């Protein structure tokens, strides 16, 4: 499935390049509105190609993937000696604790 999506992406992006180059290389000599229309069509192709390449297929097993391991809990570490918090600056630690909602200042 991955190969099919990748092939579709490269075909769409190749078509986009062909439209842009041909529009301004020789189609503009024949018809300027046709060249502009080709560029407008080519402008829509890259987002569609990205959505096509990144979509999940019905046989892709994304719903039962194991959950990633939880990050280590940094709050359980003991603060450095001297009464300072994790950064070593009591004023900065109090400010961050207030922002994180750990300690409320009266």
């Amino acid at each position: 499935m991955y190969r099919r999506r990748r092939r579709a992406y490269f075909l769409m992006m190749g078509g986009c390049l062909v439209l842009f180059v041909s529009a301004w290389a020789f189609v503009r000599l024949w018809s300027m509105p046709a060249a502009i229309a080709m560029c407008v069509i080519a402008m829509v192709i890259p987002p569609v190609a990205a959505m096509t390449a990144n979509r999940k297929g019905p046989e892709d097993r994304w719903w039962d993937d194991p959950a990633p391991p939880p990050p280590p809990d940094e709050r359980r570490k003991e603060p450095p000696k001297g009464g300072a918090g994790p950064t070593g600056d009591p004023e900065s630690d109090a400010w961050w604790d207030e922002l994180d909602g750990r300690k409320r200042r009266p």
Side-chain angles (χ1 to χ4, degrees):
M1 195 63 191
Y2 173 71
R3 182 181 293 175
R4 186 181 310 155
R5 287 193 311 248
R6 195 168 83 180
R7 185 178 303 135
Y9 174 79
F10 284 116
L11 284 174
M12 292 174 87
M13 292 306 289
C16 178
L17 286 175
V18 167
L19 283 171
F20 268 126
V21 170
S22 64
W24 297 113
F26 60 87
V27 174
R28 71 176 171 88
L29 302 173
W30 173 65
S31 170
M32 187 60 89
I36 293 172
M38 288 172 68
C39 285
V40 169
I41 293 169
M43 179 181 67
V44 175
I45 293 175
V48 173
M51 287 185 280
T52 301
N54 290 322
R55 71 182 170 91
K56 298 284 186 183
E59 56 273 350
D60 289 340
R61 298 178 56 101
W62 56 269
W63 61 88
D64 61 350
D65 285 343
D73 192 6
E74 296 293 327
R75 295 179 186 170
R76 292 188 183 180
K77 289 185 178 178
E78 292 183 24
K81 294 180 181 176
T87 62
D89 180 19
E91 185 178 343
S92 175
D93 293 335
W95 185 75
W96 281 109
D97 287 343
E98 182 182 350
L99 284 177
D100 291 340
R102 290 188 216 158
K103 296 179 186 173
R104 299 282 182 198
R105 286 191 174 178

